Amino acid sequence: MGSYIHTAGGPKLKTPTAIHNHREQNKDVDIILTRLKGVKAFQRFHPSLLLQICSCAFYEYLEKVFRQGDIGTSWYAVLSGSLDVKVSETANHQDAVTICTLGIGTAFGESILDNTPRHATIVSRETSELLRIEQREFKSLWEKYRQCMAGLLAPPYGAMESGSNNDRESLRCKKLQRGGKVMRNAILSRAPHMIRDRKYHLKTYRQCCVGTELVDWLVQQSTCVHTRSHAVGMWQALLEEGVLNHVDQELGFQDKYLFYRFLDDEEEDTPLPSEEEKRESEEELPETILFLAQIGPDALLRMILRKPPGQRTGDDLEIIYDELLHIKALSHLSNTVSLIPPLQHWTHVKLSLLLPVFNQGEEGTSWYIIQKGSVNVVIYGKGVVCTLHEGDDFGKLALVTDSARAASIVLREDNCHFLRVDKEDFNRILRDVEANTVRLKEHEQAVLVLEKSPRASTLGNIKYTVMSGTPEKILDHFLETMRMDTHHADPDDFVLMHCVFMPNSQFCQLLMAQYPFSPSDSLLFHSQERLEYAVTSKRRVLNLALRWSAVHTHHLQEEQAALTFLEELYGSVSSDSRILRALKDFVPDLEKVVKLHIDVKSQKVLLREFSNGDERLAQKQPIRNCDEILLKVYCSDHTYTTIRVAVAATGREVTSAVADKLASNDDLLLVHLSSAGEKQMLKPNDVSVFSTLSINGRMFACPRDQLNALTPLPDQEGPSAGSMSSFELMSSKDLAYQMTLYDWELFSCVHEHELLYHTFGRQSFRRTTANLDLFLRRFNQVQLWVVTEVCLCGQLSKRVQLLKKFIKIAAHCREFKNLNSFFAIIMGMSNPAVSRLTQTWEKLPSKFKKFYAEFESMMDPSRNHRAYRLTVTKIEPPIIPFMPLLLKDMTFSHEGNKTFIDNMVNFEKMRMIANTIRAVRHCRSQPFNPEVCQPNKNHAEVRGYVRKLCVIDNQRTLTTLSYRLEPRRT
């Protein structure tokens, strides 16, 4: 491609006299060598390779280099400046689009190896310094140092946009290298016997550790190391960096009697760490373990995916499967479970800068999921059309349609990691799914789609899982296949989720139709088989009805059709049980259900206020749809009227009640006014509008012409002074206990179906989510309490004491398994208004800083909050979970999957959401024991305090207060 070289501002092109004619002079070579070592891309090159590059390279200032389609004569690396990479589908530079930018340490011109045309036009964005190696010398270097240079040899489509990611990667490497030293020194300090000479099979291995002992030791050091496999991943991270090595240079760390050696022990005369080094390592150890705990799971997965498929153990496949469950790309697959059998076909790919994934027009050979990093999707003539991040996938369409790639994929940063399934394995997955799928049709239309389960049932029979179907057919299937002696999740999934696609009135009608004829029918006795079938069918209907009523609880009291169904079913069973003894066991259970619903329905609860008042000190009771509430609604002049409306009242009903109370003929608008003055118009059809109020928000009703005149009430601003003097004398443990007691009351009131209404939209169900809203408000309130107290504390020493107090309260909340308040406190401390107070944090003792760092690591959102999820799996109920994350999971499943596919219910989606609801059920599967912590004498004072937290909920106000405490440093 001939090189189109334009010099900048005169003859800046260096001729060979600048370098080439002085190759013999060591001084010149040293200068060039020093310069190359300053570029990160060259730092990993072998010294002998660098010396040869110095002896044959040219050094140039360039403004324009060469065009797409020409035959090149040299290879280039960027030493300074930046260049745009432009690609044209027609090879006409006028319609070329910029697809990426080359930065320092990147390279281009690899086509000189096989004399193919240049793939792109390179245009300098600024005066740039380049290193140039001519074709003959480059081929020679390539043959000799192929493996070492591979990272710099590729088309220019993977160039990074800046060097920032390289800086992060360099920092990570330095932290790993330092981490290896800290771990070695800590072992020599705490367990020196672990590093010693070992004899095995008549051979002596000097200064080695044993894999199992390293895992044992690490698990004992910190609670943030969750499992042995977690510890294996942490050691694997050090192994990949080369600071820990297997004595036979194997690439995977194993929890076995195998020998490993720290890099510092490779040399025979390495001195033992001094007392000062040991002391420093002891101080750094918690932070080092925390860092390794965060990156360990990724290293473990990479190690497993590098294994040949046949060598992966059952535990390996479980780890891969657990990883796949939380990958965004897989939530869009209708048959997630079908990925379980071919887990052994997933492989790991790491692509460094400039290594291409694929180009537009190429044949599709693999499907990729981004595990780490990001890529640009580039289409000729359009440029970058979108950016894909962690959890996204690409390449699937070309495999499914067997067509060419529709776009090019460009790496945006160095060291991207991918999960890959090759075409043959991907097609095998599709074939397996189709082969294991059974479709039931009526009138040529599919009404039920079943998939063969990969696991046989306990009796050895093949089990089929419902993937989709019409509501009626799904119900029929569950009744036909229900076994009375075991508990299956699928009927529970139906009972939990049917309100999404089948209202209770329809469910009751269909279920009653499945309750067969009366035993008084003479035809019944014509056949013993007919009798047995009838009894079995009745028992199945009764079993499902009891499960249904247990799940819906007080929600059934609000639907007359449901109560009528239960009463009718009870009457039928009472009558039938006189003849069919097999039904007698159901009579008392059904009688209890009917009596309970009648008794509860006769009760009427009047809630006095939702936002504030003495009722906070009373034991919380679940808020029901049929309950009523006294609600304050304000006018533009800050007067208010109190109305009595149903909990589920709509915006229209509230404004109507206000207009009646005020005797107003105006068309009123219903407005939620925040403490910051932000106005949110509430729609006439919005359900249960009172529970949408923010912590300091108020409900206003006014004519449209008064809307702009609305201003917040003075009491919406929140407190002007902190309450530290009130609670600093209270025990941190007592505060955490009373917070947990209150949170448990709120959490216990949340009905499982409120999670559904929140996810799918309560307007669709005409149901309140008031109990869930109260619980979520509590999370926000605790978070803002932390920020408010810190920002209202004017004395530096007192603020330090506050931070210590909150860290202690958070620790006790975790001890009480109250993860909701634990996270709220930590998130409050990480609020910008608090985190920016550097003088305060600097004064915090290092012990508390380490506690906070460990707590903060549990909030790490990477790998779909893996740190939190691993923590929860180790805790036994009762648990108060981090509710916002559970709601995020449900929203993720809802928005990523269609509710209906081909006019059938996507039951796989229902199952995914039901699994999250079951996680909530698991948390409440054991009662909270109030005797866990014996309260002190002042428990009433503590109880009253934690239930009446006064906060500022205006972030602008909090930020202003923060800057008054510690002005921005100039």
Side-chain angles (χ1 to χ4, degrees):
M1 165 167 55
S3 168
Y4 290 77
I5 301 176
H6 297 255
T7 60
K12 290 189 178 177
L13 177 62
K14 301 284 184 178
T15 63
T17 56
I19 296 177
H20 191 67
N21 289 346
H22 298 283
R23 290 176 184 169
E24 294 77 22
Q25 298 183 18
N26 291 333
K27 184 178 178 181
D28 290 346
V29 171
D30 288 342
I31 292 171
I32 303 167
L33 185 62
T34 302
R35 179 63 192 276
L36 292 186
K37 284 183 176 179
V39 179
K40 290 185 176 64
F42 291 97
Q43 287 175 354
R44 60 179 178 268
F45 280 11
H46 193 277
S48 62
L49 171 57
L50 279 179
L51 285 172
Q52 290 199 45
I53 289 175
C54 293
S55 68
C56 70
F58 293 85
Y59 179 60
E60 299 182 347
Y61 283 105
L62 297 181
E63 280 194 345
K64 194 162 219 173
V65 188
F66 45 64
R67 297 187 186 279
Q68 178 179 347
D70 292 343
I71 302 298
T73 59
S74 298
W75 175 86
Y76 297 83
V78 183
L79 299 179
S80 72
S82 58
L83 305 98
D84 283 338
V85 179
K86 294 178 176 285
V87 175
S88 167
E89 188 175 16
T90 62
N92 182 349
H93 70 277
Q94 292 180 343
D95 62 8
V97 293
T98 301
I99 63 169
C100 61
T101 298
L102 297 172
I104 297 171
T106 60
F108 55 90
E110 82 301 331
S111 63
I112 60 173
L113 284 176
D114 51 13
N115 293 319
T116 55
R118 298 292 194 189
H119 301 95
T121 296
I122 308 293
V123 181
S124 63
R125 307 177 76 204
E126 57 191 307
T127 300
S128 303
E129 295 176 283
L130 302 181
L131 181 84
R132 177 167 67 90
I133 302 178
E134 293 185 345
Q135 186 177 40
R136 183 170 53 83
E137 282 85 358
F138 187 78
K139 281 187 173 182
S140 176
L141 290 175
W142 173 253
E143 290 302 322
K144 191 172 182 180
Y145 298 99
R146 179 190 301 259
Q147 186 172 359
C148 183
M149 297 179 71
L152 279 177
L153 184 65
Y157 307 131
M160 63 182 174
E161 294 177 356
S162 70
S164 60
N165 191 68
N166 275 354
D167 295 338
R168 289 195 298 270
E169 193 65 26
S170 175
L171 178 63
R172 179 179 174 277
C173 292
K174 288 178 181 176
K175 287 182 72 172
L176 280 168
Q177 289 164 5
R178 177 59 189 165
K181 287 184 179 293
V182 168
M183 299 290 271
R184 173 182 179 267
N185 292 347
I187 289 174
L188 288 171
S189 176
R190 299 183 178 192
H193 64 279
M194 287 175 56
I195 301 178
R196 66 178 190 272
D197 293 349
R198 312 267 182 173
K199 288 188 177 179
Y200 189 69
H201 287 181
L202 304 178
K203 186 175 180 181
T204 299
Y205 299 87
R206 51 178 310 284
Q207 294 301 95
C208 293
C209 307
V210 172
T212 50
E213 292 180 4
L214 286 173
V215 172
D216 289 338
W217 182 83
L218 192 50
V219 168
Q220 294 167 7
Q221 301 309 306
S222 173
T223 55
C224 69
V225 184
H226 302 287
T227 60
R228 294 188 71 83
S229 62
H230 191 190
V232 168
M234 294 163 70
W235 288 118
Q236 176 64 24
L238 293 175
L239 192 75
E240 289 178 351
E241 189 58 29
V243 294
L244 181 74
N245 295 300
H246 186 275
V247 292
D248 292 330
Q249 304 306 311
E250 291 186 12
L251 300 178
F253 184 92
Q254 296 187 59
D255 186 7
K256 294 181 179 179
Y257 191 77
L258 299 174
F259 298 150
Y260 298 90
R261 185 183 295 123
F262 284 99
L263 183 62
D264 286 348
D265 290 318
E266 297 284 353
E267 303 294 333
E268 292 191 18
D269 56 351
T270 302
L272 292 174
S274 64
E275 291 303 315
E276 176 68 15
E277 288 174 324
K278 286 183 179 180
R279 185 186 62 76
E280 289 177 355
S281 294
E282 285 292 332
E283 290 180 357
E284 293 180 40
L285 185 62
E287 186 179 345
T288 297
I289 291 177
L290 199 57
F291 170 63
L292 293 173
Q294 290 170 341
I295 65 174
D298 285 338
L300 178 65
L301 184 68
R302 285 195 298 271
M303 180 182 74
I304 292 170
L305 291 171
R306 288 188 190 114
K307 293 181 182 179
Q311 293 181 15
R312 295 176 189 172
T313 66
D315 289 341
D316 290 344
L317 296 183
E318 284 293 324
I319 290 170
I320 300 173
Y321 180 56
D322 183 61
E323 183 74 17
L324 298 184
L325 282 178
H326 302 303
I327 289 178
K328 182 167 62 175
L330 298 182
S331 72
H332 298 277
L333 299 179
S334 59
N335 301 301
T336 305
V337 292
S338 67
L339 288 171
I340 299 173
L343 286 176
Q344 63 271 22
H345 300 309
W346 291 91
T347 54
H348 176 268
V349 182
K350 176 182 176 182
L351 299 182
S352 292
L353 192 63
L354 295 180
L355 287 180
V357 182
F358 53 66
N359 293 312
Q360 184 175 341
E362 292 179 347
E363 179 190 359
T365 57
S366 298
W367 172 39
Y368 295 85
I369 294 175
I370 303 172
Q371 190 188 13
K372 174 189 170 188
S374 58
V375 301
N376 281 334
V377 179
V378 179
I379 297 178
Y380 292 136
K382 295 182 180 179
V384 177
V385 293
C386 67
T387 299
L388 303 178
H389 300 276
E390 179 183 304
D392 291 324
D393 69 310
F394 55 88
K396 191 165 55 185
L397 181 62
L399 299 186
V400 173
T401 60
D402 199 25
S403 58
R405 301 293 194 193
S408 297
I409 299 296
V410 180
L411 303 186
R412 297 181 70 244
E413 52 194 285
D414 200 4
N415 294 318
C416 292
H417 292 248
F418 300 89
L419 296 174
R420 186 188 77 205
V421 174
D422 291 330
K423 186 173 184 177
E424 182 180 343
D425 294 322
F426 184 84
N427 288 336
R428 185 180 299 127
I429 294 172
L430 296 182
R431 287 195 301 270
D432 289 346
V433 169
E434 193 57 38
N436 291 326
T437 300
V438 177
R439 299 177 190 276
L440 177 64
K441 293 185 177 183
E442 290 182 356
H443 306 295
E444 302 302 317
Q445 292 291 321
V447 292
L448 190 66
V449 178
L450 305 174
E451 185 180 77
K452 188 186 297 182
S453 173
R455 301 180 181 87
S457 71
T458 51
L459 297 180
N461 299 325
I462 295 174
K463 182 179 181 296
Y464 285 89
T465 303
V466 175
M467 303 308 296
S468 61
T470 63
E472 297 83 355
K473 283 299 173 185
I474 293 175
L475 176 58
D476 288 350
H477 174 78
F478 286 144
L479 284 171
E480 288 169 8
T481 58
M482 184 187 297
R483 291 176 53 207
M484 306 297 291
D485 57 336
T486 58
H487 177 84
H488 287 299
D490 278 354
D492 274 345
D493 293 342
F494 184 88
V495 166
L496 271 172
M497 301 299 301
H498 78 75
C499 61
V500 173
F501 54 85
M502 176 192 286
N504 274 327
S505 55
Q506 183 185 359
F507 171 79
C508 294
Q509 185 180 355
L510 289 172
L511 199 58
M512 199 66 208
Q514 292 282 354
Y515 193 82
F517 43 78
S518 167
S520 58
D521 189 333
S522 58
L523 292 175
L524 180 66
F525 303 101
H526 282 246
S527 164
Q528 180 65 25
E529 288 182 4
R530 190 173 177 82
L531 174 64
E532 290 175 359
Y533 173 79
V535 172
T536 301
S537 297
K538 289 175 183 288
R539 286 172 59 84
R540 286 171 174 165
V541 169
L542 292 169
N543 190 31
L544 192 62
L546 287 171
R547 291 193 197 184
W548 170 73
S549 63
V551 166
H552 285 256
T553 58
H554 62 262
H555 280 200
L556 296 182
Q557 298 137 22
E558 298 153 17
E559 294 191 41
Q560 187 57 47
L563 295 178
T564 301
F565 162 71
L566 287 171
E567 291 170 4
E568 183 182 344
L569 189 63
Y570 172 60
S572 297
V573 175
S574 298
S575 174
D576 291 352
S577 63
R578 298 189 188 100
I579 301 173
L580 304 175
R581 297 180 61 84
L583 302 182
K584 281 187 177 294
D585 292 345
F586 289 96
V587 175
D589 292 336
L590 207 53
E591 182 181 16
K592 284 180 189 174
V593 171
V594 172
K595 187 173 185 303
L596 173 67
H597 287 305
I598 292 174
D599 290 345
V600 175
K601 191 184 178 188
S602 64
Q603 301 172 8
K604 195 74 172 180
V605 179
L606 175 66
L607 300 171
R608 287 168 291 188
E609 286 191 44
F610 180 78
S611 298
N612 44 47
D614 294 337
E615 79 284 349
R616 282 188 175 189
L617 301 182
Q619 180 78 20
K620 284 290 173 188
Q621 297 296 324
I623 300 172
R624 302 176 305 168
N625 236 50
C626 58
D627 289 338
E628 294 182 347
I629 186 172
L630 290 177
L631 180 64
K632 283 183 180 179
V633 181
Y634 292 84
C635 301
S636 57
D637 61 358
H638 288 186
T639 59
Y640 69 86
T641 183
T642 303
I643 59 172
R644 176 171 170 168
V645 293
V647 161
T650 62
R652 182 180 292 105
E653 290 167 340
V654 170
T655 52
S656 176
V658 171
D660 288 346
K661 197 79 178 285
L662 298 176
S664 170
N665 294 322
D666 294 327
D667 287 334
L668 299 178
L669 300 176
L670 198 61
V671 182
H672 170 217
L673 187 66
S674 73
S675 60
E678 296 163 344
K679 304 176 185 72
Q680 179 189 353
M681 304 278 291
L682 299 172
K683 298 175 183 176
N685 292 329
D686 285 349
V687 177
S688 194
V689 290
F690 77 94
S691 68
T692 62
L693 288 172
S694 59
I695 294 170
N696 290 341
R698 297 291 183 268
M699 192 82 74
F700 280 74
C702 68
R704 184 172 293 276
D705 59 2
Q706 295 179 12
L707 182 62
N708 294 332
L710 295 184
T711 56
L713 302 169
D715 68 346
Q716 286 186 251
E717 294 179 4
S720 57
S723 61
M724 184 182 180
S725 58
S726 300
F727 79 90
E728 68 176 337
L729 299 178
M730 299 176 186
S731 156
S732 298
K733 191 168 187 177
D734 284 350
L735 284 163
Y737 172 73
Q738 290 296 339
M739 291 173 74
T740 301
L741 202 60
Y742 186 44
D743 287 357
W744 182 259
E745 288 177 20
L746 295 173
F747 180 46
S748 299
C749 291
V750 178
H751 193 281
E752 291 174 352
H753 277 82
E754 288 187 71
L755 303 174
L756 283 180
Y757 304 153
H758 181 278
T759 303
F760 287 85
R762 58 189 178 190
Q763 273 67 250
S764 306
F765 302 91
R766 289 279 309 210
R767 297 286 185 182
T768 185
T769 56
N771 299 292
L772 177 60
D773 295 337
L774 268 176
F775 188 47
L776 294 174
R777 277 165 58 99
R778 178 61 177 179
F779 178 87
N780 294 333
Q781 187 182 44
V782 171
Q783 186 179 168
L784 288 166
W785 168 58
V786 173
V787 188
T788 300
E789 293 297 335
V790 173
C791 290
L792 289 176
C793 185
Q795 194 175 339
L796 177 60
S797 59
K798 289 285 188 183
R799 285 202 302 278
V800 175
Q801 291 303 315
L802 260 178
L803 292 184
K804 290 169 62 176
K805 186 84 170 179
F806 286 130
I807 290 171
K808 287 179 183 177
I809 295 171
H812 288 303
C813 282
R814 188 172 71 163
E815 177 189 341
F816 293 136
K817 297 182 279 192
N818 181 358
L819 300 180
N820 207 57
S821 281
F822 168 79
F823 272 91
I825 292 170
I826 300 306
M827 288 180 74
M829 296 179 74
S830 63
N831 184 286
V834 177
S835 62
R836 66 163 297 277
L837 299 172
T838 53
Q839 296 172 36
T840 308
W841 286 97
E842 285 168 359
K843 295 285 186 182
L844 189 68
S846 59
K847 179 176 76 172
F848 285 90
K849 287 179 183 176
K850 289 172 184 174
F851 283 144
Y852 176 71
E854 181 185 341
F855 295 163
E856 202 174 30
S857 72
M858 283 182 61
M859 293 171 51
D860 180 15
S862 64
R863 322 304 305 142
N864 196 20
H865 295 272
R866 185 197 334 228
Y868 167 78
R869 296 181 195 278
L870 285 172
T871 300
V872 173
T873 59
K874 297 178 69 174
I875 302 176
E876 294 296 324
I879 305 166
I880 304 177
F882 179 32
M883 185 58 78
L885 181 58
L886 289 167
L887 293 175
K888 176 192 166 189
D889 288 346
M890 293 183 67
T891 303
F892 188 75
S893 299
H894 170 49
E895 294 181 351
N897 299 275
K898 295 179 179 179
T899 302
F900 294 93
I901 299 175
D902 297 331
N903 297 319
M904 293 186 291
V905 177
N906 179 7
F907 202 74
E908 179 69 355
K909 172 180 175 175
M910 303 299 121
R911 189 176 292 109
M912 291 163 65
I913 294 176
N915 282 336
T916 305
I917 296 177
R918 264 194 291 275
V920 174
R921 184 184 295 174
H922 170 74
C923 291
R924 300 192 290 203
S925 59
Q926 295 296 324
F928 177 71
N929 180 10
E931 305 302 322
V932 166
C933 173
Q934 292 294 333
N936 292 336
K937 288 181 290 185
N938 67 338
H939 74 91
E941 181 185 356
V942 179
R943 184 172 185 268
Y945 176 80
V946 301
R947 292 174 184 236
K948 284 189 171 183
L949 300 177
C950 297
V951 304
I952 299 170
D953 68 350
N954 185 340
Q955 184 64 42
R956 288 199 300 270
T957 302
L958 293 168
T959 302
T960 301
L961 290 169
S962 175
Y963 276 104
R964 286 179 190 169
L965 295 176
E966 295 185 21
R968 184 183 282 109
R969 291 178 176 176
T970 56

